[in-house]
RNA sequence: UGGGGAAUAGUGUAAUGGUAGCACAACUGCCUCUGGAGCAGUUAGUCUAGGUCCGAAUCCUGGUUCCCCAACCA
């Protein structure tokens, strides 16, 4: 287990918190329960794209294996061909890899174990612990009883072993229609745990499986299959989410009846995040109803969406580490995720200058055709990132927000008569404001102080503000997509009467700015390259970006105390 | 009207009978060629009622609240 694709920085090398699951692993190692082995697995069903909640589980399982010198398998739990697709398999492989984890040659599929599972089912039948039931679906649930009422035995519960064997074989051979029969475990129809009331092990499904094709027309249920998969792979700690706690007695029962290798199932709480939804069903709905562009829409909490948004794998791993592991439901503040993203990106992203809402500035005392190349530091947090040249000339663009004709108190930026520093360039003073007939400011006329080249004055004076800028002639035009929360409510699931989570979708989660300018140094950068636009935030090149039409996605803003100040007033 | 889990600042977590700590958020300052970063500080917590104990977030008893379970989904 190694981070092959990502460098580990300080933020990650900090000590791993010992959660209750790691405590179990440590205790097991101490007692030699598993002979020192630690084998975990990440077992997704390929029926959707992975999201940040899965990342928590991935980092837990792979992280434990890494920490204790064990292994973590990637296993597709592909037991339901009607919901699963190859596209999802590929996306999941890509996402886990991108997150920085390596399963080496241990890529497994539950469907590869179908024959073994079948054989074990036959064994259970021979033991008299499983039977073929002819009850229809609605009848099965009727016989199951309720929370407070015990169930009733199926009329087919006491078939002979021979009859069960014959019927199960014929189920496998495709002699019966879908839904006509099931194989059920014979446990206890009066158990207070409904999962133990003769759970279905196999159902008939004449469906084409994405890997086994039409070879099988019976498919194992989760409860039957999952423990067997874990057993086959000699998993030591089978980590799953809280809702499977009720299933653990069944997990244990199947393995005990068969007398085969028996991992320990441990449950932890899934992740909830403010301002987002996490269920695969709802995410699928957003995609299918075109409420987002696709699974990798940068507003989606999917791994692919976050990748496109510009989140780095390291920042997601850092986040997973910070949220911890527990056994109760909690909702993590989205701001913590953003903090983790900023923390990592601050240390790793090269800085460039870009102007999102351009305001033309003419330096009246600057020579007409002159262009200077000025030195700019690539990353003040990382000396090894070096420096680059940025062109400066008579006509520039600055940010509209960086000028105010009638500035309020504490507005440090440019205003008439005021001097500011242009980053890495010169001090300029605004002398004249030019407006169109409607009164909109269209241009600023400024003078520069030639003695301040590079951004320092010989007399030691230092303006309160430093602005970012681009030279008009050499700047590249770009589209910039500004993203915000997809939902307006902290908990979109909590919908009022007659409303759904979709009613909480934000109308300004995406703002497209078409007339942005970026410095020329980014011209040939590949898709997904991450930058900090100085004073604005972190941005990355969208995969749809071309050299003819540059497109950037805003990952997250910089912390902005000025905006905060304004909002308070 | 059954069974299974769980409750620590606004949020996420630590403390495993011995000073309730950390992070995010919020708020103050300092510093700064990014109103970024960094530095220093402030606010704020053991669900509840009893009990055991020199001492309880932790152990015991009762209560409260929340989550999960009645798919041929996982």
């Amino acid at each position: 287990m190694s981070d092959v694709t990502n460098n580990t920085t300080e933020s990650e090398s900090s000590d791993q918190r010992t959660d209750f699951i790691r405590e179990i692993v440590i205790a097991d190692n101490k007692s030699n329960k598993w002979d020192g082995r630690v084998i975990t697995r990440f077992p997704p069903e390929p029926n959707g794209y992975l999201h940040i909640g899965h990342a928590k589980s991935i980092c837990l399982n792979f992280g434990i294996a890494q920490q204790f010198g064990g292994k973590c398998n990637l296993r597709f739990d592909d037991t339901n061909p009607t919901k699963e697709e190859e596209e999802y398999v590929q996306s999941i492989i890509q996402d886990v890899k991108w997150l920085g984890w390596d399963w080496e040659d241990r890529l497994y599929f539950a469907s590869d174990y179908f024959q073994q599972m079948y054989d074990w089912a036959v064994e259970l039948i021979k033991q008299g612990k499983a039977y073929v039931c002819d009850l229809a679906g609605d009848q099965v649930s009727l016989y199951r009883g309720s929370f407070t009422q015990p169930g009733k035995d199926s009329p087919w519960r006491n078939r002979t072993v021979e009859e069960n064997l014959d019927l199960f074989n014929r189920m496998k051979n495709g002699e019966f229609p879908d839904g006509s029969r099931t194989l059920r475990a014979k446990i206890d129809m009066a158990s207070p745990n409904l999962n133990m009331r003769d759970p279905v092990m196999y159902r008939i499904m004449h469906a084409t499986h994405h890997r086994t094709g039409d070879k099988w027309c019976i498919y194992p249920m989760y409860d039957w299959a999952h423990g067997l998969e874990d057993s086959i792979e000699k998993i030591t700690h089978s980590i799953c989410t809280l809702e499977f706690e009720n299933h653990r007695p069944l997990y244990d029962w199947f393995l005990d009846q068969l007398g085969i290798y028996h991992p320990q199932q441990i449950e932890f709480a899934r992740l909830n995040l403010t301002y987002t939804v996490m269920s695969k069903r709802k995410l699928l709905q957003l995609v299918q109803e075109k409420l987002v562009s696709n699974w990798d829409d940068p507003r989606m909490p999917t791994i692919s969406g976050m990748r496109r948004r510009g989140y780095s794998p390291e920042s997601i791993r850092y986040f997973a580490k910070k949220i911890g592991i527990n056994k109760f439901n909690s909702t993590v503040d989205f701001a913590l995720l953003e903090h983790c993203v900023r923390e990592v990106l601050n240390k790793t992203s090269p800085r460039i200058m870009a102007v999102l809402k351009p305001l033309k500035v003419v330096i009246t005392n600057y020579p007409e055709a002159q262009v200077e190349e000025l030195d700019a530091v690539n990353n003040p947090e990382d000396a090894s990132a070096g420096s680059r040249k940025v062109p400066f000339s008579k006509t520039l663009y600055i940010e509209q927000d960086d000028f105010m004709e009638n500035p309020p108190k504490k507005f440090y930026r440019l205003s008439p008569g005021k001097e500011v520093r242009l980053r890495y360039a010169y001090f300029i003073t605004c002398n004249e404001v030019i407006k169109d007939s409607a009164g909109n400011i269209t241009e600023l006329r400024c003078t520069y102080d030639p003695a301040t080249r590079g951004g320092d004055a010989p007399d030691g004076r230092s303006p309160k503000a430093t602005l970012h800028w681009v030279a008009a002639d050499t700047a590249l035009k770009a589209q910039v997509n500004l993203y915000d929360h997809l939902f307006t409510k902290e908990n979109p699931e909590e919908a009022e009467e007659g409303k759904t989570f979709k009613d909480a979708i934000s109308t300004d989660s995406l703002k497209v700015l078409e007339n942005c300018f970026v410095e020329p140094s980014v011209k040939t950068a590949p898709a997904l390259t991450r930058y900090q636009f100085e004073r604005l935030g972190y941005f990355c090149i969208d995969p749809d970006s071309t050299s003819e039409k540059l497109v950037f996605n805003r990952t997250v803003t910089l912390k902005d105390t000025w905006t905060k100040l304004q909002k308070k007033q």
Side-chain angles (χ1 to χ4, degrees):
Chain A
M1 222 64 39
S2 62
D3 296 350
V4 281
T5 55
N6 305 281
N7 296 326
T8 298
T9 67
E10 227 173 303
S11 57
E12 264 200 309
S13 59
S14 60
D15 287 354
Q16 172 63 52
R17 176 185 296 158
T18 299
D19 52 67
F20 80 96
I21 298 180
R22 276 174 241 258
E23 277 172 8
I24 292 172
V25 173
I26 289 166
D28 288 348
N29 278 346
K30 197 172 174 193
S31 70
N32 228 26
K33 179 175 177 183
W34 306 106
D35 303 320
R37 291 181 312 117
V38 176
I39 316 279
T40 56
R41 97 267 97 111
F42 175 62
E45 182 189 16
N47 68 343
Y49 279 61
L50 260 26
H51 55 62
I52 184 73
H54 295 110
K56 176 181 180 181
S57 172
I58 291 165
C59 292
L60 213 215
N61 280 291
F62 280 93
I64 283 178
Q66 181 180 59
Q67 183 181 349
F68 296 99
K71 307 253 182 236
C72 179
N73 302 341
L74 176 59
R75 178 172 76 221
F76 286 95
D77 210 358
D78 54 350
T79 57
N80 186 350
T82 62
K83 292 191 174 172
E84 296 151 7
E85 293 174 25
E86 183 61 21
E87 178 199 348
Y88 297 131
V89 172
Q90 293 311 320
S91 75
I92 289 167
I93 286 175
Q94 182 191 9
D95 288 348
V96 179
K97 203 177 282 179
W98 178 78
L99 275 174
W101 304 104
D102 182 11
W103 50 91
E104 297 168 326
D105 58 350
R106 300 179 313 282
L107 173 63
Y108 299 134
F109 291 85
S111 51
D112 286 340
Y113 309 144
F114 281 173
Q115 184 60 49
Q116 173 67 265
M117 291 177 188
Y118 179 85
D119 294 343
W120 273 326
V122 168
E123 194 176 321
L124 225 51
I125 293 172
K126 286 180 181 165
Q127 287 183 29
K129 289 168 184 161
Y131 62 98
V132 172
C133 178
D134 297 2
L135 249 26
D138 52 342
Q139 290 298 302
V140 172
S141 56
L142 233 47
Y143 273 76
R144 185 150 33 226
S146 70
F147 291 145
T148 50
Q149 303 259 294
K152 289 187 300 182
D153 286 359
S154 162
W156 312 101
R157 200 173 199 256
N158 293 312
R159 291 217 250 229
T160 63
V161 168
E162 290 66 34
E163 193 181 2
N164 281 321
L165 250 17
D166 173 59
L167 253 15
F168 185 48
N169 183 248
R170 289 165 62 192
M171 276 170 66
K172 182 198 70 172
N173 291 340
E175 291 185 30
F176 310 118
D178 288 3
S180 59
R181 286 177 225 264
T182 55
L183 183 72
R184 293 228 256 162
K186 193 191 282 190
I187 307 181
D188 177 10
M189 289 307 292
S191 171
N193 182 342
L194 303 229
N195 294 126
M196 302 299 273
R197 320 243 263 226
D198 289 11
V200 172
M201 295 164 61
Y202 278 94
R203 73 287 216 188
I204 301 171
M205 275 177 148
H206 292 268
T208 302
H209 186 278
H210 71 107
R211 295 189 81 243
T212 60
D214 296 324
K215 180 173 179 193
W216 295 89
C217 59
I218 55 170
Y219 289 93
M221 300 288 291
Y222 170 87
D223 284 313
W224 165 242
H226 205 88
L228 304 183
E229 297 160 21
D230 287 341
S231 182
I232 290 167
E233 295 176 18
K234 295 286 188 287
I235 300 299
T236 54
H237 306 269
S238 176
I239 301 168
C240 62
T241 44
L242 248 32
E243 67 270 27
F244 293 105
E245 210 153 15
N246 293 324
H247 296 244
R248 190 174 355 119
L250 184 50
Y251 180 100
D252 292 337
W253 189 88
F254 280 131
L255 295 174
D256 286 343
Q257 302 314 308
L258 260 13
I260 59 177
Y261 178 90
H262 192 153
Q264 180 184 2
Q265 176 178 305
I266 305 168
E267 309 84 14
F268 73 101
R270 52 168 77 233
L271 170 69
N272 298 294
L273 249 192
T274 56
Y275 299 106
T276 193
V277 294
M278 212 72 96
S279 91
K280 278 189 188 176
R281 206 195 95 247
K282 292 194 173 79
L283 295 176
L284 179 64
Q285 208 176 337
L286 291 172
V287 172
Q288 286 180 337
E289 297 178 18
K290 307 267 185 230
L291 298 166
V292 295
S293 64
N294 207 337
W295 286 100
D296 69 347
D297 187 300
R299 294 166 295 181
M300 291 282 272
T302 51
I303 305 296
S304 52
M306 291 180 168
R307 173 167 59 233
R308 188 166 188 170
R309 176 91 173 242
Y311 289 19
S312 70
E314 185 194 355
S315 62
I316 294 174
R317 280 185 258 127
Y318 182 47
F319 173 71
K321 193 171 285 193
K322 295 207 64 135
I323 55 177
I325 300 294
N326 57 44
K327 289 204 66 158
F328 51 91
N329 300 303
S330 59
T331 303
V332 175
D333 194 338
F334 201 88
L336 180 61
L337 211 208
E338 296 196 320
H339 163 80
C340 294
V341 171
R342 287 191 188 102
E343 176 94 1
V344 172
L345 260 27
N346 175 48
K347 296 190 173 94
T348 55
S349 301
R351 292 2 25 180
I352 64 165
M353 291 196 285
V355 173
L356 267 32
K357 294 174 188 159
L359 172 60
K360 190 174 169 184
V361 170
V362 176
I363 312 295
T364 53
N365 60 338
Y366 194 83
E368 195 67 43
Q370 181 170 310
V371 177
E372 286 181 86
E373 297 276 313
L374 300 168
D375 290 311
V377 172
N378 286 332
N379 187 347
E381 303 286 325
D382 176 11
S384 70
S387 64
R388 67 191 186 286
K389 300 283 188 188
V390 289
F392 183 89
S393 58
K394 187 179 181 77
T395 306
L396 313 167
Y397 293 114
I398 65 164
E399 208 69 59
Q400 286 172 21
D401 290 347
D402 283 340
F403 177 81
M404 280 186 100
E405 197 168 15
N406 300 299
K409 212 170 153 58
K410 291 202 176 174
F411 183 84
Y412 307 143
R413 284 111 98 146
L414 197 60
S415 53
K418 183 107 152 276
E419 182 178 61
V420 298
R421 172 170 30 231
L422 294 183
R423 179 138 234 224
Y424 301 124
Y426 294 99
F427 294 1
I428 62 167
T429 304
C430 176
N431 306 302
E432 194 183 341
V433 180
I434 299 185
K435 298 179 184 173
D436 62 15
S437 52
N440 301 308
I441 299 170
T442 55
E443 180 182 325
L444 263 24
R445 307 214 133 223
C446 302
T447 50
Y448 83 117
D449 177 354
T452 58
R453 189 177 200 272
D456 288 300
D459 63 6
R461 73 183 196 278
S462 184
K464 187 85 173 158
T466 300
L467 309 187
H468 61 275
W469 54 275
V470 293
D473 292 344
T474 48
L476 306 173
K477 189 117 181 255
Q479 173 186 320
V480 176
N481 302 320
L482 304 182
Y483 295 102
D484 206 341
H485 299 316
L486 222 205
F487 295 95
T488 54
K489 292 168 66 176
E490 278 203 15
N491 181 5
E493 321 249 3
E494 206 170 59
E496 302 151 37
E497 263 301 300
K499 296 196 168 183
T500 74
F501 75 103
K502 290 187 287 181
D503 292 295
I505 290 180
S506 170
T507 51
D508 44 29
S509 58
L510 169 60
K511 288 195 185 99
V512 178
L513 303 178
E514 303 274 4
N515 293 308
C516 309
F517 292 102
V518 299
E519 62 171 72
S521 66
V522 304
K523 188 164 181 97
T524 57
L528 297 181
T529 305
R530 291 181 279 263
Y531 294 101
Q532 183 195 103
F533 289 2
E534 294 232 17
R535 302 209 304 134
L536 296 174
Y538 298 95
F539 294 77
C540 84
I541 297 185
D542 188 83
D544 288 346
S545 183
T546 64
S547 50
E548 283 70 46
K549 182 168 186 183
L550 277 171
V551 181
F552 287 87
N553 295 322
R554 184 173 70 193
T555 308
V556 63
T557 60
L558 250 26
K559 283 209 267 181
D560 185 353
T561 49
W562 170 240
T563 305
K564 201 184 276 177
L565 246 176
Q566 281 178 305
K567 280 180 185 161
K568 276 199 294 186
Q569 286 165 357

